[in-house]
Amino acid sequence: MSKALDGIRVLDFTHVQSGPTCTQLLAWFGADVIKVERPGIGDATRGQLRDKPNVDSLYFTMLNHNKRSIELNTKELKGKKILTDLIKTCDVLVENFAPGALDRMGFSWEKIQEINPKMVLASIKGFGPGPYEDCKVYENIAQCAGGAASTTGMLDDLPLVTGAQIGDSGTGLHLALGIVTALFQREKTGAGQKVTAAMQDGVLNLCRVKLRDQQRLASGPLEEYSQFGEGIPFKDATPRAGNDSGGGQPGRILKCKGWENDPDAYIYFITQAAVWGSICDIIGKSEWKDDNEYSTPKARLPKLNEIFKEIEFWTMTKTKFEVTDICNEYDIPVGPILSMKELAEEQSLRDTGTIVECDHPTRGPYLSVGNPIKLSNSQVEVQRSPLLGEHTKEVLRDILDYSEEEIKDIKSSGVIGD
Ligand code: CAO
């Protein structure tokens, strides 16, 4: 079966998490992704958070599937020549260096266009143009600068970062969409273009509903927030909302049987208006159905704490999976809090290829997350991440048509490692 991005060649200058997430997606969709790494060093994550000595870390292996790796020192003259040749044959160059690094290397956007006017240059930076454009940025900085941290956590506690890597992987996803869109436009115009995604912008985009709430504040309190029912006044910025639902249907995290010992024995429970009657019946509060104090969503808003307490009395008598089964029967939207252990063992995720087992020549088998985006005509075989420089010779020979003699000469110069 052909792949959606067959024939697209990507020069992958990415490292750590944000950029590699993007190029991994392109590789899964069929692009030939050539990761350029510093000779003998490579992507810093190869050696970070290692669980086994002297093998590529899970941090690296889980972000670099289906890619080829070449070692190349792009600051040396011979390395620059090879990079120039690669730019000529590639469709996309993706990078997430610190601001200005590509220019310092001698490959400005103008220079890249000169070498290959069809090239799409895609970059991730921490910030867009403005006061912080020169700053280096990691995940949690983006979460803080993009509005996620100030709106996450409990009202009376510290701002909180989330485990979901919305700054890195989230921005990688944004960039991937920008790249395929630019390639689509190139079909019509024949010209490449520059695509940039700033991590602050990506996080803010994902926090869109919180900017919605910021503006709603001008018209009065946010009635679906717990603090409204608790009589706590709102200040001038969107507050932290604990586990309140961000939408129009109130929801909370509730304890389930075993919560005293199991940190994940909880359920997310949404009191969707359409199934309010079933909720009342299930929890043994049928009288609420016809009581004006409880029967309409508006009447319930100031009483959400009391209502969820009653629901919790019921959920605490059942495991999270029992609650899920019972509620699903009545179309009540609930979600068990699943631990990483439970997700790793979930058969249905294995069946769809969302969780995959890979084999690696030096580390052995490991679990990974496969492509979460499914295309019916472009299926993904998840291949292990490359060893450092595993494909250097192959790329020089097969893509750039360098002779054995030339490769030998380049090797002796040190720009492609030992
Ligand atoms: N050959 C020669 N030099 C190379 C090279 C190669 N193949 N690959 C990289 N380099 C050089 C770069 O040119 C740069 O040199 P200069 O500083 O002299 O210009 C140097 O290596 C270091 O690159 P860097 O500044 O990108 O790396 P860092 O470890 O200092 O910073 C990071 C890392 C992530 C903070 C920074 O890259 C950044 O802010 N990136 C943009 C935002 C981003 O993606 N952050 C998410 C990271 S994941 O949490």
Side-chain angles (χ1 to χ4, degrees), residues 13 15-20 36-39 44-45 59 70-76 95-105 124-127 134-140 165 167-168 171 199:
F13 252 127
H15 64 157
V16 202
Q17 185 184 165
S18 63
V36 181
E37 300 183 78
R38 266 181 294 185
T45 59
Y59 195 4
I70 64 168
E71 287 174 287
L72 186 63
N73 186 337
T74 52
K75 284 191 170 166
E76 297 290 332
E95 62 94 19
N96 67 313
F97 291 131
L102 202 59
D103 291 349
R104 286 192 290 278
M105 211 182 264
I124 290 178
K125 297 290 164 245
F127 294 92
D134 292 330
C135 300
K136 286 185 175 178
V137 168
Y138 284 102
E139 172 69 45
N140 288 348
Q165 304 286 282
D168 279 339
T171 310
M199 294 169 76

Side-chain angles (χ1 to χ4, degrees), residues 94-299:
V94 192
E95 62 94 19
N96 67 313
F97 291 131
L102 202 59
D103 291 349
R104 286 192 290 278
M105 211 182 264
F107 290 87
S108 63
W109 171 224
E110 293 71 28
K111 171 90 181 166
I112 290 169
Q113 276 177 301
E114 226 174 78
I115 303 169
N116 179 357
K118 291 183 79 180
M119 171 66 78
V120 171
L121 169 63
S123 303
I124 290 178
K125 297 290 164 245
F127 294 92
Y132 307 116
E133 65 188 310
D134 292 330
C135 300
K136 286 185 175 178
V137 168
Y138 284 102
E139 172 69 45
N140 288 348
I141 297 176
Q143 288 199 26
C144 293
S150 68
T151 54
T152 304
M154 301 317 246
L155 181 63
D156 54 1
D157 216 328
L158 286 178
L160 219 56
V161 294
T162 154
Q165 304 286 282
I166 57 176
D168 279 339
S169 289
T171 310
L173 264 166
H174 281 89
L175 192 74
L177 177 60
I179 291 169
V180 291
T181 306
L183 288 171
F184 185 68
Q185 192 174 10
R186 193 180 75 169
E187 290 297 303
K188 290 176 272 184
T189 63
Q193 63 184 301
K194 197 166 181 239
V195 180
T196 45
M199 294 169 76
Q200 181 184 43
D201 301 13
V203 172
L204 181 57
N205 184 34
L206 298 175
C207 289
R208 181 171 293 265
V209 298
K210 299 297 179 181
L211 185 58
R212 173 200 68 194
D213 291 350
Q214 179 63 41
Q215 296 171 86
R216 287 173 61 221
L217 272 177
S219 310
L222 308 171
E223 295 186 2
E224 78 283 12
Y225 281 53
S226 296
Q227 79 178 82
F228 173 67
E230 291 158 4
I232 302 170
F234 284 78
K235 296 186 177 155
D236 63 356
T238 306
R240 291 189 265 292
N243 291 314
D244 295 347
S245 157
Q249 308 286 352
R252 298 279 174 84
I253 288 184
L254 305 178
K255 290 171 183 158
C256 292
K257 199 171 172 177
W259 66 273
E260 298 90 337
N261 298 313
D262 176 356
D264 298 311
Y266 291 85
I267 189 113
Y268 201 91
F269 198 108
I270 296 186
T271 53
Q272 192 203 13
V275 288
W276 174 244
S278 301
I279 296 170
C280 296
D281 289 338
I282 283 176
I283 66 168
K285 282 286 192 182
S286 301
E287 66 273 20
W288 276 356
K289 288 195 284 188
D290 302 315
D291 182 338
N292 290 342
E293 294 278 300
Y294 296 90
S295 58
T296 65
K298 182 120 186 92

Side-chain angles (χ1 to χ4, degrees), residues 331-393:
D331 276 343
I332 301 167
V334 295
I337 308 306
L338 295 180
S339 68
M340 275 300 145
K341 180 170 184 296
E342 287 164 332
L343 287 164
E345 291 164 357
E346 174 60 48
Q347 188 55 46
S348 65
L349 293 175
R350 305 256 181 151
D351 294 344
T352 58
T354 295
I355 299 246
V356 286
E357 195 166 315
C358 298
D359 208 0
H360 189 276
T362 55
R363 74 161 18 258
Y366 67 97
L367 273 194
S368 196
V369 185
N371 190 351
I373 305 167
K374 319 291 184 195
L375 267 61
S376 64
N377 268 336
S378 181
Q379 276 157 21
V380 177
E381 269 164 60
V382 176
Q383 289 156 10
R384 67 164 174 87
S385 59
L387 300 171
L388 178 61
E390 188 175 343
H391 306 98
T392 310
K393 207 170 160 194

